[in-house]
Amino acid sequence: MPSAAPRPCSHPGCGVLVRDGTGRCPKHPKQSWVKKPTAAKRITGRKLQQLRKELFDREPLCRPCCMAGLVVLATMRDHIVPLEEDGQDVESNVQPICEPCHDVKSKAERARGVQRAWGAYRDR
């Protein structure tokens, strides 16, 4: 049975041909995901449910929509500065937000995360 054609290593800037199907040469193995030791502890369960209820009782409308002059009910408890970007899980860093606003904000946060991840490759 024929084998697949060799492909270049998927590490940026590496052109070594890889024949084993992993996509990476021995010099650039894929790093496995590991939670950072400095990652913020997330609130979960009943405590989170209570915090959401208190937030929506206090401020039921989406904060970004209100700033734009719209009246939209909030459905999510959002961290203004994301925990991944060293934000804290405290009341001053939390806002009520609707799902469309959350999607836009999350997309921007993901883009910044990708930039941080690829920045490590440029240093090598």
Side-chain angles (χ1 to χ4, degrees), residues 5 9 19 25-27 29 43 57 69-70 77 79-80 84-85 98 101 111 113-114 118 124:
C9 174
R19 291 172 170 78
C25 68
K27 186 178 175 185
I43 298 173
D57 286 347
L70 302 171
R77 178 180 183 266
H79 293 96
I80 299 167
E84 182 64 27
E85 296 175 4
C98 66
C101 288
V114 167
W118 282 97
R124 291 182 187 179

Side-chain angles (χ1 to χ4, degrees), residues 30-109:
K30 274 199 173 189
Q31 297 174 349
S32 59
W33 183 86
V34 178
K35 188 173 183 176
K36 294 189 303 186
T38 58
K41 174 86 171 86
R42 293 186 174 266
I43 298 173
T44 59
R46 291 181 189 229
K47 174 75 172 160
L48 178 60
Q49 292 173 358
Q50 182 64 32
L51 290 171
R52 288 182 77 240
K53 181 187 179 314
E54 291 169 3
L55 176 65
F56 296 147
D57 286 347
R58 193 172 57 247
E59 195 175 346
L61 301 178
C62 172
R63 194 177 291 170
C65 286
C66 284
M67 289 181 187
L70 302 171
V71 177
V72 179
L73 266 173
T75 57
M76 301 179 139
R77 178 180 183 266
D78 177 65
H79 293 96
I80 299 167
V81 177
L83 299 179
E84 182 64 27
E85 296 175 4
D86 298 325
Q88 299 298 311
D89 206 351
V90 293
E91 279 304 309
S92 61
N93 189 36
V94 172
Q95 68 179 343
I97 195 169
C98 66
E99 192 168 349
C101 288
H102 186 266
D103 291 346
V104 169
K105 186 172 180 279
S106 294
K107 186 176 181 180
E109 291 168 1

